[in-house]
């Protein structure tokens, strides 16, 4: 999974709006408070999910397919405590029904993951590290798979693996919050590998991932370790 740099897009929209109002003396520009949220469907128990904030569908009535995401939602993610729910299409019972707290002008990613009765959700902040260096790419990792031991994440370049995340069990909210920060790495094109702590490969992303300077990336595992229908796979997307 990969996405455009929506931080730049939103700043372009905001600056364009400011420029427009500057040319209209009769109009007073009033900025509406908003937060920005990605929604990622890593739930292996269904082929798709319907997701809502309060009673509003975040996917405009369409279902979010497994393994896909909705880019930063704008215009519905109002600041405050919001009811967050998700359900399997053509069923009446929500598999997630909780609340999330959003702050004005903040960026977040929401993940739904698990399998059948083990469904979970986490919400993390997306922000530049304090020591952000535009000459480097930044990455983070969440283990959202099922039936999986603690894992290592390796970036492989020219056949040489470099471990970038080590001893990471399946995440829940507290561990996800602790690991929400992005860490600097080296620009380049990499194959991403996930192994157990003994070095046995659990998943390999065949398509090379290009990590570009100044960009933020999230790497995840999803699926079920050892399952042929929804196998353990590696995803990556750009913020």
């Amino acid at each position: 999974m990969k996405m455009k740099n929506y931080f730049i897009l939103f700043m372009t929209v905001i600056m364009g709006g400011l420029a427009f109002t500057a040319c209209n003396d009769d109009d007073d520009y009033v900025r509406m408070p908003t937060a920005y949220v990605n929604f990622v469907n890593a739930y292996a128990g269904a082929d798709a999910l319907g997701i809502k904030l309060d009673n509003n569908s975040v996917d405009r009535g369409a279902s979010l397919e497994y393994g896909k995401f909705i880019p930063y939602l704008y215009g519905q993610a109002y600041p405050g405590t919001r009811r967050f729910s998700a359900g399997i299409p053509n069923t009446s019972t929500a598999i997630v029904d909780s609340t999330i707290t959003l702050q004005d002008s903040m960026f977040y990613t929401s993940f739904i993951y698990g399998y059948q009765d083990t469904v979970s959700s986490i919400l993390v902040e997306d922000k530049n590290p304090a020591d952000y260096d535009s000459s480097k790419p930044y990455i983070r990792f969440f283990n959202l798979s099922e039936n999986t031991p603690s894992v290592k994440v390796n970036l492989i370049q020219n056949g040489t693996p470099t471990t970038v995340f080590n001893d990471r069990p399946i995440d829940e909210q507290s561990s996800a919050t602790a690991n929400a920060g992005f860490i600097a790495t080296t620009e380049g094109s990499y194959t991403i590998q996930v192994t157990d702590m003994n070095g046995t490969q659990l998943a390999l992303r065949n398509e090379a991932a290009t990590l570009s300077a100044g960009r933020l990336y999230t790497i995840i595992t999803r699926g079920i370790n050892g399952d042929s229908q929804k196998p353990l796979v590696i995803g990556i997307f750009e913020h």
Side-chain angles (χ1 to χ4, degrees):
M1 294 183 290
K2 190 173 181 181
M3 59 184 290
K4 297 178 181 178
N5 192 329
Y6 281 88
F7 292 101
I8 295 174
L9 175 60
F10 286 128
M11 289 306 297
T12 302
V13 171
I14 291 169
M15 293 307 294
L18 289 173
F20 178 80
T21 55
C23 297
N24 292 269
D25 294 335
D26 294 335
D27 296 329
D28 293 325
Y29 173 76
V30 178
R31 178 189 172 277
M32 295 298 293
T34 190
Y36 307 91
V37 188
N38 282 325
F39 293 91
V40 180
N41 180 4
Y43 177 65
D47 293 330
L49 292 175
I51 301 173
K52 292 182 178 181
L53 278 180
D54 296 331
N55 291 318
N56 300 315
S57 172
V58 303
D59 44 13
R60 303 186 185 280
S63 299
L64 179 59
E65 295 179 9
Y66 171 67
K68 301 294 182 64
F69 63 92
I70 299 171
Y72 286 112
L73 182 69
Y74 175 79
Q76 286 182 257
Y78 306 116
T81 300
R82 310 292 305 281
R83 182 182 179 186
F84 171 64
S85 60
I88 299 171
N90 301 317
T91 66
S92 58
T93 302
I95 62 170
V96 173
D97 192 352
S98 63
T99 59
I100 58 176
T101 301
L102 306 176
Q103 298 184 46
D104 182 30
S105 302
M106 295 293 291
F107 290 79
Y108 302 89
T109 298
S110 169
F111 301 90
I112 302 172
Y113 62 104
Y115 179 68
Q116 295 181 345
D117 294 337
T118 63
V119 61
S120 301
S121 66
I122 55 177
L123 180 76
V124 294
E125 291 185 8
D126 306 334
K127 58 184 179 181
N128 287 340
D131 59 350
Y132 176 77
D133 180 346
S134 62
S135 69
K136 299 177 181 178
Y138 287 81
I139 56 175
R140 67 182 178 185
F141 168 70
F142 300 113
N143 183 358
L144 308 181
S145 54
E146 287 289 300
N147 192 35
T148 307
S150 292
V151 300
K152 296 181 181 181
V153 179
N154 299 321
L155 297 182
I156 303 174
Q157 189 175 56
N158 299 323
T160 302
T162 299
T163 299
V164 288
F165 300 101
N166 190 37
D167 196 11
R168 291 288 300 276
I170 297 172
D171 277 293
E172 33 76 34
Q173 184 61 64
S174 61
S175 66
T177 300
N179 292 298
F182 294 88
I183 64 170
T185 189
T186 303
E187 187 175 19
S189 183
Y190 298 91
T191 299
I192 306 174
Q193 179 192 49
V194 169
T195 74
D196 65 17
M197 296 304 295
N198 295 320
T200 300
Q201 179 173 292
L202 302 177
L204 183 72
R205 188 175 188 273
N206 293 323
E207 181 184 356
T210 299
L211 305 181
S212 301
R215 303 299 180 89
L216 308 179
Y217 301 88
T218 293
I219 301 168
I220 67 168
T221 55
R222 59 178 171 84
I224 308 165
N225 186 34
D227 186 89
S228 60
Q229 299 300 313
K230 294 283 181 69
L232 177 65
V233 297
I234 301 166
I236 182 171
F237 61 91
E238 178 187 334
H239 296 267

